[in-house]
Amino acid sequence: MRTIRVIDSHTGGEPTRLVIEGGPDLGAGPLAERLRRFRERFDDYRRAIVNEPRGSEPLVGALLVEPDRADCALGVIFFNGVGYLGMCGHGTIGVIESLARTGKLASGAIKIDTPVGPVEGELHADGRISVANVVSRRRAHRFAVEVPGLGRVSGDVAWGGNWFFLIAEHGQRIEPGNVEALTDYCVRVRAALNAQGHPLVDHVELFAPSPRPGADSRNFVLCPGKAYDRSPCGTGTSAKLACLAADGRLEAGEPWVQESLIGSTFTGRFRWHDRAKGEILPTITGTAHVTGEAVLRLDPKDPFCWGIRA
Ligand code: PYC
């Protein structure tokens, strides 16, 4: 019988399961290499931790590891029900909240190693958490894709720690009652985009004006697989900031309040990393709440011990 100790949290409604003990031993080396080892040799742990019957479709796992970089206090590898993430904004906020609330982290700044580079978290005295994310940028502006059944769809391709396709003109209602149609639309767009020149894009992000006072925009973000992000998506908001910066629609230091489909918000800001290249350093601020601490039991007699395969 294996046991895995976890701390569960949610950030703006999006769940994170932090693995603090009993996860796979990925050895040493850069986190990108350890992620590859995780995928190739220990993928059954990923399914056991986040998939049903222990997990759920939107759940993101976060495996706590020793950092590789000397300037980082800890390392994290993020994963979900279908694979692995480069970075995860809501997840990093959840990890910091989980470590803080269980006495494993004092308030202040902490540098965290991830497979796509170091990020810096800051736990504020009022409970908000900021994450200074990896360098983000727009790769393609108004890229048009022919989507079977939908016609031509145009959007921006941008990196914010994961690859995103950001669409402003989509004709969809971004409302909680419309999740099925939004999911179907994004799944079709992603498949077409992957086949037509952008195979790495695994997140699709739709935007609309927000009815919420103080919010600049509402989004719907389809994550790898078919789950949508209940939070405004930290890496997605970083990608959005890169596009706003490239278009001259947001100045360095100015706040951008991004609302999620369910009404939670992140505040994003950026500073320039390399203005000539359109590269920014985004910071995302939000709040998370711990929802539980548990010991997962992996019983070899359980036919679904390693998760239900989709
Ligand atoms: O907050 O970056 C994020 C994220 C990615 C996938 C789910 N959440």
Side-chain angles (χ1 to χ4, degrees):
M1 174 82 71
R2 289 170 209 264
T3 56
I4 300 176
R5 291 187 73 84
V6 300
I7 306 174
D8 284 353
S9 64
H10 79 84
T11 307
E14 179 75 351
T16 304
R17 173 163 286 169
L18 173 63
V19 176
I20 53 169
E21 225 180 271
D25 179 0
L26 304 178
L31 266 67
E33 225 169 80
R34 281 188 255 171
L35 185 156
R36 189 176 45 74
R37 242 171 265 151
F38 197 169
R39 178 188 280 129
E40 289 173 1
R41 309 224 312 253
F42 300 99
D43 197 52
D44 46 359
Y45 274 88
R46 176 187 62 75
R47 286 187 280 103
I49 293 163
V50 294
N51 280 1
E52 293 180 14
R54 291 183 196 85
S56 64
E57 213 187 6
L59 182 60
V60 169
L63 177 67
L64 199 60
V65 295
E66 287 297 320
D68 183 51
R69 294 166 206 265
D71 59 344
C72 290
L74 52 94
V76 180
I77 298 175
F78 293 104
F79 50 97
N80 76 355
V82 297
Y84 297 83
L85 300 167
M87 227 301 277
C88 183
H90 96 267
T92 306
I93 293 172
V95 165
I96 293 171
E97 178 69 16
S98 294
L99 294 176
R101 292 306 144 227
T102 52
K104 295 176 177 63
L105 190 74
S107 65
I110 179 166
K111 208 157 180 180
I112 301 173
D113 208 354
T114 82
V116 294
V119 300
E120 191 155 349
E122 186 174 359
L123 176 57
H124 304 284
D126 63 3
R128 289 173 310 129
I129 293 167
S130 294
V131 177
N133 195 8
V134 295
V135 172
S136 302
R137 65 186 188 282
R138 178 162 73 188
R139 171 177 275 185
H141 186 34
R142 294 202 182 131
F143 184 84
V145 58
E146 280 303 327
V147 185
L150 295 177
R152 179 170 279 235
V153 174
S154 169
D156 289 355
V157 176
W159 170 257
N162 296 298
W163 283 107
F164 288 82
F165 192 52
L166 301 95
I167 310 170
E169 283 155 33
H170 41 71
Q172 304 295 307
R173 277 185 304 111
I174 302 194
E175 288 168 13
N178 200 30
V179 166
E180 242 176 81
L182 291 166
T183 303
D184 179 65
Y185 179 89
C186 291
V187 166
R188 285 164 184 258
V189 169
R190 181 172 59 196
L193 188 69
N194 289 167
Q196 294 172 40
H198 288 285
L200 296 180
V201 171
D202 54 3
H203 292 70
V204 176
E205 188 166 8
L206 311 182
F207 295 91
S210 169
R212 189 188 173 108
D216 292 292
S217 161
R218 172 185 281 180
N219 68 10
F220 174 85
V221 182
L222 182 77
C223 300
K226 286 191 178 168
Y228 76 93
D229 197 333
R230 276 64 170 165
S231 86
C233 192
T235 51
T237 301
S238 299
K240 175 68 175 175
L241 294 175
C243 295
L244 291 166
D247 288 333
R249 288 178 52 206
L250 191 73
E251 292 300 319
E254 230 184 291
W256 177 266
V257 179
Q258 185 64 61
E259 185 197 26
S260 73
L261 186 75
I262 65 162
S264 54
T265 58
F266 285 163
T267 300
R269 287 186 172 78
F270 75 92
R271 58 191 173 87
W272 287 107
H273 175 68
D274 185 331
R275 193 167 189 157
K277 290 186 184 157
E279 292 178 348
I280 63 158
L281 283 163
T283 296
I284 305 301
T285 303
T287 52
H289 299 272
V290 171
T291 53
E293 290 180 61
V295 178
L296 309 181
R297 292 162 59 89
L298 276 64
D299 179 351
K301 292 201 292 302
D302 176 355
F304 298 111
C305 171
W306 296 101
I308 299 172
R309 282 177 192 270

